[in-house]
Amino acid sequence: MYRFLLTPRWWGINVFVLLAIPFCVFMGSWQLSRFEGRVQDHRTATEQAASDRHEGARPLDGMLPVDKTTSGRRVTASGRYGEQLLVPDRELDGKRGFYVLTLLRTGSGKALPVVRGWLPGTADAARAPAPPSGEVTVTGALQASETPGDNGVGAQGGLPAGQTAAISSASLVNLVPYKLYDAWVTLDKGDSGMKAVPASAPGGTGLDLKAFQNLGYTGEWFVFAGFVVFMWFRLLRRELEFQRDAELGLVPEERETVVSG
């Protein structure tokens, strides 16, 4: 009764099934491993952020370049404040406002962007407190340069003079006359009555849309594998039913002619 499994048609079906199932399982497992990796990165970043608050600050230069292991770590740097810029349309505690960003000119010859704090409302240079004069030492969380789409960072252009959409060396290089670090710092405590801006987790470590897309793809691949198995059994059952009908003479003459042909 099962001799039909040796026909060329069924050889093709069986080979396809034997290849498709392991492929779907492999792809599903790979997507699941990516989701689990993102979960682990998120857990590590959360634990690191908690430990960093109780950890002593380290010299800035020893924590560069910024990566997943150094992002959010407390650093310290000394120098004199220079140019000041505003970063509009930033949200904190559910309210819209702006960051006050001041460039700290360090002894290395480079300037470090320092977010001294956040103020509510529309960006207005007249409302931004002037930076302290003279030599200062700042302590805060190290952050990687922003890119559009990160943590509410916009890509809008045409901002008024003295404003920038993103805190990054690429955005600031044409706005200030200094060489810049490819990093920035948000102070532990807001300066001059401003609210401190909390550090954000490094890119790729959050349970964001991409993470749940990986989980969704995992389910899809395993469903595909199950669908392949289901269709194989369905085709097998139909073939067996046809064989029984043929033995009982119940196969329509046209179908029998096609099969015999």
Side-chain angles (χ1 to χ4, degrees), residues 12-204:
I13 293 174
N14 292 335
V15 169
F16 171 78
V17 170
L18 291 175
L19 293 177
I21 293 175
F23 178 76
C24 291
V25 171
F26 169 78
M27 291 299 297
S29 300
W30 178 67
Q31 290 289 350
L32 181 60
S33 68
R34 296 198 64 183
F35 173 74
E36 291 174 341
R38 289 179 181 273
V39 171
Q40 183 58 45
D41 285 346
H42 176 70
R43 183 179 297 115
T44 301
T46 302
E47 292 173 353
Q48 177 177 305
S51 64
D52 288 345
R53 287 194 289 269
H54 307 289
E55 188 177 272
R58 301 181 183 182
L60 171 67
D61 289 333
M63 301 295 285
L64 299 174
V66 186
D67 55 24
K68 290 182 180 180
T69 61
T70 61
S71 179
R73 293 290 181 92
R74 295 178 70 244
V75 297
T76 183
S78 298
R80 293 176 178 270
Y81 279 124
E83 296 279 339
Q84 182 160 284
L85 301 168
L86 306 182
V87 187
D89 298 324
R90 293 305 178 98
E91 187 172 312
L92 186 62
D93 297 333
K95 298 179 180 179
R96 302 297 293 181
F98 61 97
Y99 294 168
V100 177
L101 176 71
T102 312
L103 280 296
L104 181 71
R105 303 176 65 182
T106 68
S108 69
K110 291 183 179 180
L112 173 68
V114 177
V115 172
R116 296 171 49 231
W118 174 92
L119 290 172
T122 303
D124 183 355
R127 295 177 54 211
S133 59
E135 187 80 10
V136 297
T137 297
V138 300
T139 302
L142 183 65
Q143 301 280 265
S145 288
E146 296 179 331
T147 56
D150 290 343
N151 302 311
V153 179
Q156 71 268 30
L159 291 174
Q163 295 187 19
T164 179
I167 309 172
S168 70
S169 56
S171 299
L172 298 173
V173 67
N174 295 320
L175 301 178
V176 297
Y178 317 126
K179 292 182 179 179
L180 298 165
Y181 283 103
D182 189 17
W184 59 283
V185 166
T186 176
L187 296 183
D188 288 343
K189 296 180 180 179
D191 199 4
S192 302
M194 294 182 287
K195 276 192 174 183
V197 175
S200 59

